[in-house]
Amino acid sequence: MAPRGETKERILAKALESFSTVGYDGTSLDDLAEALGIRKQTILYHFVSKRGLLNAVLDDSVKVLTESLEEVLDASNPHRDRIEDLVRSVFRVALEQPLLLGLLREVSRPGSPAAPRLKNQMGPLMERAISWMEGEMEAGRMRKTDAQLVLLSAYSTVVGLATEIEILRTAGVERVLRPSAQRRQELLHFLRTSLTPSE
Amino acid sequence: MAPRGETKERILAKALESFSTVGYDGTSLDDLAEALGIRKQTILYHFVSKRGLLNAVLDDSVKVLTESLEEVLDASNPHRDRIEDLVRSVFRVALEQPLLLGLLREVSRPGSPAAPRLKNQMGPLMERAISWMEGEMEAGRMRKTDAQLVLLSAYSTVVGLATEIEILRTAGVERVLRPSAQRRQELLHFLRTSLTPSE
DNA sequence: CGCTTTTTCTACCATTTGGTAAGTCTTGGT
DNA sequence: ACCAAGACTTACCAAATGGTAGAAAAAGCG
């Protein structure tokens, strides 16, 4: 019927939507299929099991996030404000694909079946970010603190803000764009004041 | 058998634990009952339905949190650092009962069945905090920004940090106590720098 | 003790769930 | 035209799920 891997993509998209809102356990394959105008077995054909579907969705999301971040970390122009770039990049993802961070939030919960997989996936990226920060600290361009701590803190803040955006959006609450800009400013301010060495 | 409402308390405790780790949908009444050495119908006797159980657990948790916070907001000694008191208080709750904030995180997800209830429960507290902040802004003791925004931001940061603590703890990761102190400092720093008017 | 009320249990049930088996239909290559 | 591989479906199933009905203890009380 569908010549290309079109249905597979559609399933992934809807699954992301469902997982990040009603959660993994709250998502039934039947409902998912019905929402797609498809039979449940089609889903199980493309992804072996429900768990397999979750893994696929997760891999996809992590890939998008990683690419978006690596682009910034890679950037060879050494003089730009890397922190601002990072924040801007993450917020762009959060605004364009809030569901993605919603999935992270869902999956990073203690007791989540996919938590270890997420850890493996994000591991390299985290390590790289940490070693970069440590390098900056050594060079005196960043205040010396526990890099991992700062990273985790920033991460949770961003995800928290992003999911809040989504919550507000689903709740039909008014403006979303302007506040998010403000939040970016706040987060930036936060990171700068807690990272810049000159006190 | 149990003369007082002892079993009811036990059910509530285990339910909180289960809801905040494996989630609402991930919790089955049978498993819950088995973990308590009890039959499922006993649970349904005390709380009419699974949803009723969730509501009860939620009400309990919100009550604890509210009391802990109101104590600070009420504090009549006007010269203490209120922000530090707040942060300290919240972190105490997060450390002593991390499951409680885990529940908040679970329940405040978009699409959660208990989200509206949570909103109603927390509403008054939020409004009070906001009006307090606005008062401080008027008096020039706090930089003028969107109070609601700051509150939501701080809230998500705290819950994020708290759930991270729990994640680390379940992952068996080393030290927890010392880092949490550092985090409290960081959060404090964050709030101060983004709230104090003197720039 | 006897009676009532509260608490807990056994026995079922309808529905939903993820998953298996095996078929049908479509498409592309030769 | 034929056939093999891919894509999607119908038919089913065993287990788990939240919930109902009613019996059986247990506790409180005169």
Side-chain angles (χ1 to χ4, degrees):
Chain A
M1 272 190 157
R4 313 282 293 198
E6 190 209 328
T7 26
K8 203 166 178 177
E9 304 286 334
R10 285 179 62 226
I11 294 174
L12 280 172
K14 260 279 185 282
L16 171 61
E17 180 184 331
S18 187
F19 286 158
S20 69
T21 51
V22 294
Y24 176 72
D25 290 304
T27 299
S28 94
L29 294 184
D30 280 301
D31 293 353
L32 210 58
E34 192 183 11
L36 286 165
I38 272 185
R39 249 41 65 191
K40 163 179 45 171
Q41 283 66 13
T42 305
I43 300 179
L44 290 178
Y45 166 74
H46 287 287
F47 314 88
V48 189
S49 64
K50 190 186 180 184
R51 198 61 181 271
L53 176 61
L54 173 61
N55 287 339
V57 172
L58 187 59
D59 291 359
D60 248 33
S61 298
V62 169
K63 193 174 150 207
V64 170
L65 205 63
T66 299
E67 281 171 358
S68 174
L69 293 189
E70 274 198 339
E71 193 180 327
V72 178
L73 264 85
D74 262 340
S76 38
N77 47 352
H79 290 305
R80 293 212 37 167
D81 185 343
R82 213 93 128 228
I83 295 182
E84 175 160 3
D85 285 350
L86 265 175
V87 170
R88 204 173 285 278
S89 160
V90 170
F91 259 82
R92 201 185 52 226
V93 174
L95 279 177
E96 290 175 358
Q97 308 187 24
L99 296 173
L100 198 149
L101 294 192
L103 179 74
L104 278 192
R105 177 187 150 120
E106 158 78 7
V107 148
S108 67
R109 182 188 59 193
S112 163
R117 190 186 186 87
L118 177 68
K119 207 167 188 172
N120 288 343
Q121 300 264 5
M122 298 284 280
L125 187 62
M126 287 291 176
E127 277 180 22
R128 230 178 108 192
I130 287 177
S131 70
W132 169 69
M133 288 176 75
E134 285 174 345
E136 296 287 297
M137 289 176 189
E138 280 303 317
R141 288 189 296 271
M142 190 179 284
R143 192 195 309 168
K144 283 200 177 184
T145 46
D146 187 338
Q148 186 176 7
L149 213 60
V150 174
L151 194 63
L152 285 177
S153 173
Y155 163 80
S156 71
T157 303
V158 172
V159 172
L161 289 179
T163 51
E164 254 166 39
I165 291 177
E166 184 60 7
I167 289 177
L168 291 178
R169 190 175 280 169
T170 56
V173 175
E174 62 283 22
R175 65 256 146 74
V176 182
L177 289 179
R178 211 176 59 78
S180 84
Q182 279 186 22
R183 288 171 191 218
R184 192 180 57 213
Q185 288 299 331
E186 285 181 8
L187 179 60
L188 204 51
H189 187 176
F190 164 49
L191 290 178
R192 282 226 180 84
T193 52
S194 59
L195 289 182
T196 49
S198 63
E199 174 64 20
Chain B
M1 272 192 157
R4 313 281 295 195
E6 188 211 329
T7 28
K8 203 167 179 176
E9 305 285 334
R10 285 179 61 224
I11 294 174
L12 280 173
K14 260 279 185 282
L16 171 61
E17 179 185 329
S18 186
F19 286 159
S20 68
T21 52
V22 294
Y24 177 73
D25 290 303
T27 300
S28 95
L29 294 185
D30 281 301
D31 293 353
L32 210 58
E34 192 183 11
L36 287 165
I38 272 187
R39 250 38 68 190
K40 162 178 47 172
Q41 283 68 14
T42 305
I43 300 178
L44 290 178
Y45 165 73
H46 288 286
F47 314 89
V48 189
S49 64
K50 190 185 180 184
R51 196 64 180 271
L53 177 59
L54 174 62
N55 286 340
V57 171
L58 188 59
D59 291 359
D60 248 33
S61 299
V62 169
K63 195 175 149 207
V64 169
L65 205 64
T66 299
E67 281 172 358
S68 173
L69 293 188
E70 273 196 340
E71 192 179 328
V72 178
L73 264 85
D74 262 340
S76 37
N77 48 354
H79 289 306
R80 293 213 36 167
D81 186 341
R82 212 90 128 228
I83 294 182
E84 175 161 1
D85 285 352
L86 265 174
V87 171
R88 204 173 285 277
S89 161
V90 170
F91 260 80
R92 202 185 51 225
V93 174
L95 280 177
E96 289 175 359
Q97 308 187 20
L99 295 174
L100 199 149
L101 294 191
L103 180 74
L104 278 192
R105 178 188 151 121
E106 158 80 8
V107 148
S108 66
R109 183 188 58 194
S112 163
R117 191 184 185 87
L118 178 68
K119 206 167 189 171
N120 288 343
Q121 299 264 5
M122 298 285 280
L125 187 61
M126 288 291 177
E127 277 180 23
R128 234 180 102 192
I130 287 176
S131 71
W132 168 69
M133 288 176 74
E134 285 174 345
E136 296 288 296
M137 288 176 189
E138 281 302 318
R141 287 188 297 270
M142 191 180 282
R143 192 193 308 165
K144 283 200 176 185
T145 45
D146 187 337
Q148 186 175 9
L149 212 59
V150 174
L151 193 63
L152 285 178
S153 172
Y155 163 80
S156 70
T157 302
V158 171
V159 172
L161 288 180
T163 52
E164 254 167 39
I165 290 177
E166 184 61 8
I167 289 176
L168 291 178
R169 188 175 281 168
T170 57
V173 175
E174 61 280 25
R175 63 255 146 73
V176 181
L177 289 179
R178 212 175 58 77
S180 84
Q182 280 187 21
R183 288 170 192 217
R184 192 180 57 213
Q185 288 299 333
E186 285 181 8
L187 178 61
L188 204 52
H189 187 176
F190 165 48
L191 291 179
R192 281 223 181 86
T193 53
S194 59
L195 289 183
T196 49
S198 64
E199 173 66 21

